[in-house]
């Protein structure tokens, strides 16, 4: 909810969820679809792509394929993508800027390092890049997000997909696995026993 409200989305716009098969990506797809957006997603495994389609995406692309950006461009046409939810900005941000529509927005959710971009890519399309983190939200914002998520689960348009589960003692292993995995499938869970 916070990601889409940060992007100032409007029904009918397009959103690309880069890394859509993980817990955050799946929720973003479900919420974007409920908002009336055209939802595109990326995932690197066949299982991940299937999960993305089952959870709100109209189309999915394999971000491990060399020409996947061309396929996305062909899918959206000359207009481009209105909003991109970016999970790995240090890899994708430069490509994202070239996919955007005029006035398009990239919402950076995650990054594992620096990246070099050309500011002209933002100037030409008058696009913007916004970083978000849930930790800077106010208590009132947390309450609003919780109310929206609770309503979504009660009505059924928000259905969390549970991925791998680890005991709290294996948190280090869970971190290693998510960093070095070939592709996420659902939300990783740490179990408190």
């Amino acid at each position: 909810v916070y990601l889409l409200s940060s992007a100032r989305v409007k029904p009918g716009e397009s959103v690309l969820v880069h890394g859509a098969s993980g817990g955050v990506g799946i929720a973003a797809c479900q919420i974007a679809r409920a908002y009336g957006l055209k939802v595109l997603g990326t995932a690197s495994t066949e299982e991940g792509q299937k999960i993305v389609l089952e959870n709100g995406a109209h189309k999915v692309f394999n971000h491990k394929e060399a020409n996947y950006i061309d396929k996305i461009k062909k899918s959206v046409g000359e207009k481009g993508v209105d909003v991109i939810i970016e999970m790995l900005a240090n890899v994708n941000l430069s490509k994202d800027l070239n996919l955007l529509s005029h006035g398009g927005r990239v919402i950076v959710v995650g990054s594992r390092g620096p990246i070099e971009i050309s500011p002209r890519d933002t100037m030409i399309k008058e696009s913007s890049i916004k970083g978000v983190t849930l930790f800077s939200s106010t208590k009132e914002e947390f309450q609003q997000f919780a109310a929206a998520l609770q309503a979504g689960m009660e009505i059924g348009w928000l259905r969390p997909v549970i991925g791998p589960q680890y005991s709290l003692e294996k948190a280090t292993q869970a971190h290693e696995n998510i960093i070095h995995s070939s592709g996420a499938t659902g939300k990783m869970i740490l179990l408190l026993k």
Side-chain angles (χ1 to χ4, degrees):
V1 175
Y2 177 62
L3 298 176
L4 296 175
S5 66
S6 294
R8 303 173 327 276
V9 296
K10 299 177 200 91
E13 286 189 314
S14 60
V15 62
L16 169 65
V17 181
H18 228 150
S21 62
V24 174
I26 290 170
C29 287
Q30 292 174 356
I31 294 167
R33 186 68 180 254
Y35 270 59
L37 303 174
K38 178 181 179 184
V39 183
L40 309 172
T42 71
S44 62
T45 66
E46 193 172 311
E47 178 186 7
Q49 291 170 44
K50 181 180 177 206
I51 286 173
V52 171
L53 287 171
E54 290 171 351
N55 285 281
H58 293 90
K59 291 187 179 181
V60 67
F61 304 89
N62 183 339
H63 56 239
K64 294 289 185 183
E65 289 181 1
N67 63 343
Y68 84 98
I69 293 292
D70 294 330
K71 289 181 179 180
I72 294 171
K73 284 182 180 180
K74 184 176 182 182
S75 173
V76 296
E78 291 291 317
K79 183 181 185 291
V81 178
D82 297 306
V83 175
I84 299 176
I85 307 295
E86 183 53 66
M87 309 298 171
L88 194 56
N90 60 297
V91 172
N92 300 314
L93 185 57
S94 183
K95 295 177 232 173
D96 291 344
L97 295 176
N98 290 295
L99 285 170
L100 288 176
S101 64
H102 185 82
R105 292 89 66 201
V106 178
I107 306 301
V108 177
V109 176
S111 183
R112 294 185 187 160
I115 186 171
E116 186 174 315
I117 63 168
S118 172
R120 286 189 184 276
D121 291 337
T122 62
M123 296 162 55
I124 293 167
K125 296 179 181 177
E126 296 185 349
S127 60
S128 61
I129 304 166
K130 182 174 184 175
V132 297
T133 178
L134 198 55
F135 302 114
S136 64
S137 301
T138 66
K139 182 179 179 181
E140 293 77 23
E141 288 171 328
F142 269 115
Q143 291 170 338
Q144 291 169 0
F145 306 150
L149 295 174
Q150 182 67 36
M153 287 186 282
E154 288 172 2
I155 294 169
W157 56 258
L158 183 62
R159 300 169 314 280
V161 174
I162 305 301
Q165 299 179 33
Y166 296 85
S167 66
L168 189 56
E169 296 80 29
K170 303 232 178 189
T172 303
Q173 184 62 49
H175 186 273
E176 287 292 322
N177 290 355
I178 198 70
I179 294 295
H180 300 293
S181 73
S182 62
T185 51
K187 188 67 178 167
M188 179 183 284
I189 304 293
L190 289 177
L191 301 170
L192 304 174
K193 292 182 181 180

